[in-house]
Amino acid sequence: MKRRTAFVCDESYFWHNTGNGALFLPAGGWIETDVHSENPATKRRVKNLLERSGFIRELVSIPPRAATAEEIAAVHDPAYIKRVEALSQTTGDAGELAVVGYGSFEIACLSAGGGLRAVDAVMRGEVDNAYVLHRPPGHHAERDKGMGFCLFNKVAVAARYAQRAYGLKRIAIVDWDVHHGNGTESIFYDDPGVLFVSLHQENNYPPGRGSLSDTGAGAGEGYTINIPLPAGTSDAGYLEAIRTIVAPVIRQFGPELIFVSAGQDASLFDPLGRMMVTAEGFYQMAQEMLALADQCCQGRLVACHEGGYSAAYVPFCTLRVIEALTGIRSVVEDPFAPTFQHLPTQVITHDQRLYLQMAKEQHVKRWSVLQT
């Protein structure tokens, strides 16, 4: 079924400057100058592929607006917001590996506002769903500090906005970025109105976060679902996790809106992850999420781009996600597919199955008890 999918993007997003570095560290000492992992090409090439293939004409392009300081302060400490603004005049680090380039504050506000514009479009029925291609990413940003390339937590800002602007009582956030969505988890850890689900590589980043036993606190106890997966998990493992753990819990929760923190760094070519998800795997994952949105909230879904650091492969993975949202397949074939057809991308190993079983027992059974 063809759907109206909003595409929110702005040239300014590509102007956020993370400087020279190597992987995630700045150049200097023994580190020779290279390109920082979170550089514009990883996102710009997504837009380039959409335009080159003509698929962008299948989308409803919507310009973002800048989020106000008050809207950002709904999830971030005002003092932290002012700190990012001050650093933006000189450059610096807003926390742990969270580079603020010259002018990054304005870009980060526009990036957060992209999510708000997407929420408006979906909630007002202007479109069926939306994909927001923005940077810097956001899911690591805590209330009072930046982390892991993230300045403002865009999906958290958008979810809180949806609660306040549209009176939503139940929102689900599914984060499939290869790294744990620690900032989003922290912000909603005691909020029973937001079900937060994170599928991530076990013991990757941040260290010590995303444990199976981290399930929320206070009134939010049970509303955080962490699914740490072992390195090497591929399409089959992710789909099994979504179908047997994520889907049953979300159906019981009954969200009025679903967000996806769409980090395509679980791909088999990503330099900052050790997973094996293919572009087609991301397509199927997005299909599963869209089916849940259809069942629970009239198809209302907003996907916000997070990580993904293979500049060569992220565009194909993200295109497949957007294809799933529209219900239309593009003319683009995955040119890398012949190189990994021999790999076990459709296999769940014994260790992976044990992890999935532990997560299922922890969350699905516990959630069933919680709801009785």
Side-chain angles (χ1 to χ4, degrees), residues 22-348:
L23 292 179
F24 47 84
L25 294 178
W30 295 111
I31 300 176
E32 184 178 353
T33 297
D34 197 358
V35 179
H36 193 282
S37 290
E38 210 299 291
N39 65 81
T42 57
K43 279 73 174 177
R44 189 191 294 276
R45 287 168 65 133
V46 174
K47 187 169 183 286
N48 290 348
L49 183 59
L50 289 169
E51 292 178 343
R52 176 71 176 85
S53 66
F55 198 76
I56 199 165
R57 292 192 291 272
E58 303 289 352
L59 308 175
V60 181
S61 292
I62 296 179
R65 67 170 177 84
T68 66
E70 291 73 21
E71 288 167 335
I72 297 172
V75 301
H76 286 294
D77 188 324
Y80 169 65
I81 298 171
K82 290 180 180 178
R83 183 181 170 211
V84 174
E85 184 175 16
L87 285 172
S88 182
Q89 304 304 310
T90 57
T91 73
D93 199 314
E96 179 183 291
L97 305 175
V99 175
V100 180
Y102 184 75
S104 287
F105 175 74
E106 289 76 11
I107 297 172
C109 289
L110 191 66
S111 181
L116 308 188
R117 187 67 187 87
V119 168
D120 285 338
V122 169
M123 292 305 301
R124 293 171 184 172
E126 298 169 8
V127 295
D128 300 308
N129 54 54
Y131 194 93
V132 189
L133 181 67
H134 46 187
R135 63 184 292 271
H139 73 148
H140 292 310
E142 299 274 357
R143 291 182 185 274
D144 59 353
K145 65 178 180 179
M147 284 183 68
F149 315 155
C150 302
L151 301 182
F152 297 142
N153 196 313
K154 300 169 298 186
V155 75
V157 171
R160 187 70 83 204
Y161 174 78
Q163 287 178 319
R164 295 181 175 183
Y166 295 96
L168 301 187
K169 304 299 183 185
R170 297 180 308 281
I171 294 171
I173 302 173
V174 177
D175 187 331
W176 68 44
D177 190 287
V178 79
H179 307 107
H180 178 247
N182 59 287
T184 313
E185 177 186 270
S186 296
I187 289 166
F188 296 114
Y189 206 58
D190 59 357
D191 186 348
V194 176
L195 175 68
F196 174 67
V197 181
S198 180
L199 301 103
H200 51 274
Q201 181 184 327
E202 182 196 34
N203 293 328
N204 188 318
Y205 181 85
R209 297 298 298 268
S211 169
L212 193 65
S213 59
D214 295 337
T215 56
E221 175 63 38
Y223 290 86
T224 291
I225 308 289
N226 278 307
I227 307 174
L229 297 168
T233 301
S234 59
D235 299 357
Y238 271 85
L239 289 167
E240 181 75 4
I242 291 173
R243 290 166 180 165
T244 65
I245 304 170
V246 179
V249 173
I250 285 183
R251 290 192 195 101
Q252 290 186 69
F253 178 64
E256 299 164 281
L257 175 64
I258 295 176
F259 287 93
V260 175
S261 277
Q264 276 67 264
D265 42 9
S267 86
L268 74 174
F269 291 120
D270 203 275
L272 299 188
R274 294 296 177 266
M275 297 309 212
M276 293 177 59
V277 181
T278 68
E280 193 64 24
F282 281 109
Y283 176 81
Q284 294 177 66
M285 289 161 60
Q287 280 190 314
E288 294 290 333
M289 296 311 306
L290 197 58
L292 285 170
D294 285 342
Q295 295 167 26
C296 299
C297 48
Q298 296 80 53
R300 292 196 292 260
L301 183 149
V302 174
C304 295
H305 198 97
E306 294 285 358
Y309 306 102
S310 170
Y313 200 52
V314 165
F316 299 98
C317 297
T318 306
L319 172 63
R320 290 291 186 256
V321 173
I322 296 173
E323 286 176 354
L325 297 184
T326 64
I328 305 168
R329 292 304 294 252
S330 73
V331 299
V332 179
E333 296 182 0
D334 181 351
F336 295 93
T339 69
F340 56 72
Q341 286 181 344
H342 64 290
L343 297 177
T345 60
Q346 302 306 317
V347 174
I348 302 177

Side-chain angles (χ1 to χ4, degrees), residues 230 348-361:
I348 302 177
T349 68
H350 176 68
D351 287 347
Q352 292 165 14
R353 198 167 291 283
L354 288 177
Y355 272 68
L356 290 168
Q357 186 59 37
M358 286 190 295
K360 185 175 181 179
E361 291 177 0

